[in-house]
Amino acid sequence: TQLLEQSPQFLSIQEGENLTVYCNSSSVFSSLQWYRQEPGEGPVLLVTVVTGGEVKKLKRLTFQFGDARKDSSLHITAAQPGDTGLYLCAGANYGGSQGNLIFGKGTKLSVKP
Amino acid sequence: ETGVTQTPRHLVMGMTNKKSLKCEQHLGHNAMYWYKQSAKKPLELMFVYNFKEQTENNSVPSRFSPECPNSSHLFLHLHTLQPEDSALYLCASRQGGGNEQFFGPGTRLTVL
């Protein structure tokens, strides 16, 4: 069974701090996606990474896909209260059903003003 | 309407009730999904439909019955649910050939 482990599970920081969230697996994924989910809403896609070693930036968010396509990280610079939410990583696997995703449990981020 | 919509947003039902959740996608996608999201658990895939055909049933109890009349609409019919079925039910859609899924806002279901 493929699993995606996210860490930390919870993170509470002050506005302006930097943080990194990790998503790790022993399995190789063809692509990996990051979502942010706010309370009472569905996950919103932030980015998809496809190539091993790929780095993508979305304003203050930097996403990296591991060289071996087994892990990924999300780094937020100068966090803002608006960054608060549940961050989910999801991997698309080579061997499974096309288009189906494996989700991590998520990292719940709270940014205090 | 744009994206993926779900109704109702909140639902409270007794264990003997029958209710239905509705999902509609306005993205022209041809795959649709039902997920269950409970506290402290990863998103659980329930059902997958491709071009209106069910391609995956992830060992979901028969008290959950999906229906996909066309590529834009997906229903989840509920009957004789249990309190442990209380959760956020999320619908998602995907364009064939891609891996990115787009989610609706979910239905918060409470079973009394």
Side-chain angles (χ1 to χ4, degrees):
Chain A
T1 302
Q2 290 182 297
L3 291 173
L4 271 171
E5 300 287 342
Q6 284 189 245
S7 61
Q9 193 174 353
F10 299 97
L11 191 54
S12 181
I13 61 172
Q14 292 296 130
E15 181 176 0
E17 292 183 17
N18 301 332
L19 67 115
T20 302
V21 174
Y22 299 93
C23 178
N24 296 297
S25 176
S26 58
S27 304
V28 177
F29 293 99
S30 60
S31 66
L32 196 138
Q33 298 165 32
W34 285 93
Y35 292 83
R36 180 170 69 213
Q37 184 178 18
E38 298 187 15
E41 298 294 331
V44 174
L45 180 66
L46 296 174
V47 78
T48 300
V49 285
V50 179
T51 306
E54 182 177 5
V55 176
K56 279 192 174 178
K57 292 193 174 184
L58 186 65
K59 296 184 180 177
R60 293 176 291 100
L61 279 59
T62 301
F63 304 86
Q64 186 163 8
F65 202 12
D67 291 341
R69 294 180 173 178
K70 293 182 179 181
D71 52 83
S72 182
S73 64
L74 159 59
H75 182 79
I76 301 179
T77 303
Q80 304 294 312
D83 296 327
T84 294
L86 179 68
Y87 288 82
L88 295 163
C89 66
N93 54 31
Y94 285 109
S97 302
Q98 182 186 8
N100 288 3
L101 298 175
I102 307 295
F103 281 86
K105 288 186 179 181
T107 294
K108 194 168 185 178
L109 172 65
S110 175
V111 183
K112 299 177 181 178
Chain B
E1 290 278 14
T2 58
V4 182
T5 58
Q6 289 187 244
T7 55
R9 293 295 310 275
H10 301 272
L11 179 61
V12 179
M13 59 187 288
M15 289 191 286
T16 58
N17 291 158
K18 288 185 180 181
K19 296 287 184 183
S20 295
L21 310 185
K22 179 182 176 182
C23 174
E24 185 173 359
Q25 59 95 359
H26 310 268
L27 300 168
H29 292 169
N30 46 41
M32 296 187 78
Y33 300 75
W34 279 118
Y35 288 90
K36 176 184 179 182
Q37 188 176 36
S38 307
K40 300 182 181 179
K41 286 186 178 181
L43 276 169
E44 298 174 67
L45 179 64
M46 300 176 72
F47 301 103
V48 182
Y49 279 82
N50 281 280
F51 294 99
K52 304 187 301 178
E53 299 298 320
Q54 188 180 124
T55 54
E56 190 152 342
N57 175 340
N58 202 22
S59 303
V60 180
S62 59
R63 57 185 183 269
F64 295 91
S65 174
E67 178 190 0
C68 188
N70 55 59
S71 293
S72 299
H73 294 84
L74 186 63
F75 296 89
L76 188 62
H77 304 299
L78 316 170
H79 64 98
T80 59
L81 293 192
Q82 305 297 313
E84 59 265 29
D85 296 322
S86 298
L88 181 68
Y89 287 85
L90 291 162
C91 172
S93 71
R94 176 182 63 83
Q95 179 63 292
N99 290 319
E100 297 175 343
Q101 294 183 21
F102 295 85
F103 286 83
T107 295
R108 172 64 64 185
L109 174 67
T110 303
V111 182
L112 301 177

